[in-house]
Amino acid sequence: MEFFEGTEKLLEIWFTKSESKCTADNDLRKIPRDVLDYILDLVNCKILSSTRTRELDSYVLSESSLFINKQRLLIKTCGTTTLLNSVRPFIEAAFKFCGFDEIEDVFYSRKRFMKPELQKYPHNSFEEEIDYLQELFGGGAAYALGRLNGECWYLYTLNKPVSIDAPDQTLELIMTKLDPEVMKIFTKEVSSSAEEATQKSGIDKIFPNALLDAYLFDPCGYSVNAILPKGHYFTIHITPEESCSYVSFETDAPTTDYPELIQKVLDIFKPGQFVLTFFANDDSIGRYFTKKQYKLKGFDYDTFQETNVKNYNVTYAHYTKKPI
């Protein structure tokens, strides 16, 4: 069976004005579609479908997702895409078409690749990625959380003294060793459409009020972008092949019960192991999401780390399924 690298590269860029407050004219959604297409071509992916609300533009990509709101651009891509090739042209487009002149913050993260030898420049190693980003920004900070001889998760951020002052949080679950029966749902053999796969799996019940845009690939594979009230989102990407099964779930939704949300996702996909990462700044409701709350039914964590990057608390944990 052909191998596919489900592991995603995740890039988030926040923009602002240096000498004055942002106005209605400063809006990343003013970047023209043909410019987005050009930039995504540099990454080796393309837009498959899009959804828009008053607060957020969502794009399902041939390799994962792109979300754009007024001041933030978030893109995640899988496979052998060259995501960092998009950084400079995205910044140039934001300055040219949207009137921004300063970068408020940047976050780049990913889990260790399953087969790093298949990646292309500048993604051959995290050290190479750091060098690439430092050439663009300088003064950034890079972190590795987890076990260097096992599951490991990498993060690069600008490390600015002051950045995002609005409540902000991001939860990501990176799941592997998935239940084969669940994964079959995300094949054309079992589901005739993305909507059928969404309903059979129970993805539509994670946030019942979400506006969903789902895509079922041929012969297998699945992506969904969801827009939530007040411009929040969640996104799921699935590589169902048993030899390299992979599912990612990510959301910036604020909630008073993250363990309940996490358990809901785990109950759907039934992974054998997963990595959890959680960002929260001081204004976020999630800043009280503590170690005690990370006890999850049916799983033990073998690694748990917390660190503070400028303005954010970052939590990393690796879980494995308890023996039956």
Side-chain angles (χ1 to χ4, degrees):
M1 186 176 290
E2 188 175 347
F3 172 82
F4 182 78
E5 183 70 69
T7 305
E8 289 146 327
K9 313 163 182 88
L10 175 59
L11 173 69
E12 189 173 326
I13 310 176
W14 294 70
F15 293 89
T16 189
K17 296 285 289 293
S18 57
E19 300 295 334
S20 60
K21 287 187 176 181
C22 294
T23 68
D25 289 331
N26 304 122
D27 192 329
L28 292 171
R29 292 166 293 183
K30 295 174 71 174
I31 298 174
R33 170 61 186 267
D34 64 326
V35 174
L36 291 180
D37 289 335
Y38 167 77
I39 295 172
L40 293 172
D41 191 50
L42 299 175
V43 177
N44 298 309
C45 64
K46 62 182 180 180
I47 295 169
L48 300 179
S49 64
S50 61
T51 311
R52 293 177 176 83
T53 63
R54 189 164 57 89
E55 296 97 349
L56 185 67
D57 287 2
S58 158
Y59 299 89
V60 175
L61 306 180
S62 54
E63 276 83 13
S64 297
S65 297
L66 169 66
F67 292 96
I68 304 175
N69 66 17
K70 194 173 189 299
Q71 290 180 251
R72 180 186 65 179
L73 181 150
L74 184 151
I75 178 170
K76 62 191 307 182
T77 64
C78 55
T80 57
T81 50
T82 50
L83 177 60
L84 292 183
N85 285 344
S86 69
V87 178
R88 190 188 299 274
F90 269 137
I91 292 170
E92 290 172 351
F95 287 11
K96 178 179 179 180
F97 296 105
C98 313
F100 293 111
D101 62 7
E102 187 173 341
I103 297 158
E104 194 166 28
D105 218 332
V106 170
F107 301 92
Y108 173 73
S109 64
R110 65 169 175 84
K111 191 172 80 74
R112 174 177 283 154
F113 295 125
M114 297 182 204
K115 293 191 177 183
E117 67 275 11
L118 299 181
Q119 294 297 313
K120 302 170 185 175
Y121 178 82
H123 298 285
N124 297 120
S125 68
F126 186 50
E127 290 75 17
E128 187 173 81
E129 292 168 327
I130 294 169
D131 289 344
Y132 190 93
L133 289 164
Q134 285 288 80
E135 281 188 21
L136 288 173
F137 303 113
Y143 304 83
L145 298 178
R147 298 183 179 182
L148 293 177
N149 62 344
E151 290 292 345
C152 190
W153 179 78
Y154 303 108
L155 168 67
Y156 176 93
T157 181
L158 284 194
N159 205 37
K160 296 180 74 171
V162 178
S163 63
I164 297 107
D165 58 4
D168 184 48
Q169 59 283 310
T170 303
L171 168 70
E172 187 176 26
L173 302 176
I174 304 170
M175 296 166 271
T176 52
K177 298 183 179 178
L178 284 306
D179 185 305
E181 291 304 309
V182 175
M183 291 296 96
K184 285 179 183 176
I185 296 171
F186 304 101
T187 67
K188 284 287 182 77
E189 184 181 352
V190 172
S191 298
S192 60
S193 66
E195 291 73 19
E196 184 179 353
T198 302
Q199 292 167 6
K200 276 186 176 180
S201 62
I203 287 172
D204 58 329
K205 296 180 177 63
I206 297 175
F207 285 97
N209 58 351
L211 174 63
L212 300 177
D213 184 8
Y215 194 94
L216 184 65
F217 293 85
D218 189 11
C220 64
Y222 172 93
S223 290
V224 64
N225 284 355
I227 300 179
L228 304 172
K230 299 182 180 179
H232 294 293
Y233 71 89
F234 81 79
T235 183
I236 295 173
H237 302 282
I238 300 173
T239 301
E241 292 93 334
E242 192 168 353
S243 62
C244 51
S245 64
Y246 176 97
V247 175
S248 68
F249 169 86
E250 179 191 336
T251 185
D252 71 342
T255 175
T256 55
D257 196 346
Y258 283 101
E260 181 185 24
L261 172 59
I262 293 166
Q263 196 68 59
K264 191 182 291 188
V265 175
L266 296 176
D267 288 345
I268 289 174
F269 296 109
K270 300 177 174 60
Q273 64 180 21
F274 67 95
V275 164
L276 178 154
T277 66
F278 187 73
F279 287 76
N281 64 7
D282 287 342
D283 297 309
S284 166
I285 194 172
R287 67 190 181 280
Y288 300 118
F289 188 27
T290 63
K291 183 173 181 177
K292 186 178 178 183
Q293 293 173 288
Y294 279 81
K295 292 181 178 177
L296 298 167
K297 185 179 68 179
F299 292 89
D300 289 319
Y301 58 79
D302 51 41
T303 307
F304 180 95
Q305 294 171 275
E306 283 189 303
T307 189
N308 288 308
V309 302
K310 292 285 186 179
N311 313 298
Y312 281 83
N313 184 72
V314 181
T315 302
Y316 168 94
H318 177 259
Y319 289 80
T320 54
K321 194 173 182 179
K322 289 180 179 178
I324 297 174

